[in-house]
Amino acid sequence: MDYQSRQPSYVVWHLLKVDLRMDMHKVAVIGMGYSGAILVERLKSLTPALQVDVYDHAGSTGSGQAYQRDNLSNLVNRPASLMYLREYGDFKEWLRQSPVPSIKTYQPRPVFGNFIEETLKSSLRSHSAIQYHRESVIGITNEQGGYT
């Protein structure tokens, strides 16, 4: 299967189902933009006991550069009904419950960024197995079958 023709979240989900070793106890996610947020959410749902260390030097909690709070005139390039983090429809449901003035088909990028951040911060608060570190990762070393 050609992964490039699939949605990013499908690729992450498929790779996790295939490659996640059941003897793994701890993983690190480097970078907490949208892709990192999806990865953390999938790991949390697939293996709740797995220790997840998240590293992001800029302190992002899901919005990253793509969905940062810079310009409300920049819209996402997909309808709100197709945008999600945990499951299809969660962004649209969040819009219904949020103080966003109107539910438009295409939302401003920062509005989707707010949704990602709120959802991910909720996960960070409620799952003690997820640890967030505002630090840069400058190298990875293979030691005794693991990485540091």
Side-chain angles (χ1 to χ4, degrees), residues 70-76 108-110:
D70 59 351
N71 189 342
L72 287 174
S73 67
N74 293 335
L75 303 178
V76 294
R109 296 178 78 77

Side-chain angles (χ1 to χ4, degrees), residues 8-141:
S9 58
Y10 171 83
V11 173
V12 169
W13 184 256
H14 183 73
L15 291 174
L16 283 175
K17 288 196 320 188
V18 172
D19 296 332
L20 187 63
R21 295 185 354 226
M22 299 318 275
D23 63 338
M24 292 175 64
H25 302 288
K26 189 174 190 177
V27 297
V29 175
I30 302 168
M32 193 43 59
Y34 181 51
S35 296
I38 285 179
L39 183 58
V40 167
E41 290 295 329
R42 296 299 187 268
L43 288 169
K44 180 187 74 168
S45 66
L46 284 172
T47 54
L50 183 68
Q51 289 290 120
V52 180
D53 283 340
V54 176
Y55 296 89
D56 190 278
H57 74 282
S60 176
T61 50
S63 62
Q65 290 183 340
Y67 302 108
Q68 64 187 337
R69 294 179 186 96
D70 59 351
N71 189 342
L72 287 174
S73 67
N74 293 335
L75 303 178
V76 294
N77 58 356
R78 300 181 76 195
S81 61
L82 297 177
M83 303 295 288
Y84 67 95
L85 183 59
R86 292 179 178 162
E87 59 189 44
Y88 286 111
D90 61 358
F91 177 50
K92 198 167 182 178
E93 183 59 32
W94 179 86
L95 285 171
R96 282 191 193 103
Q97 298 175 7
S98 74
V100 175
S102 67
I103 299 177
K104 301 174 189 171
T105 302
Y106 293 88
Q107 291 293 314
R109 296 178 78 77
V111 171
F112 186 64
N114 288 343
F115 159 72
I116 298 166
E117 286 186 1
E118 282 185 22
T119 305
L120 192 61
K121 285 179 181 178
S122 170
S123 291
L124 293 172
R125 282 190 305 269
S126 63
H127 290 81
S128 61
I130 304 171
Q131 298 296 312
Y132 185 90
H133 309 276
R134 186 174 182 171
E135 299 175 20
S136 294
V137 175
I138 56 171
I140 301 172
T141 306

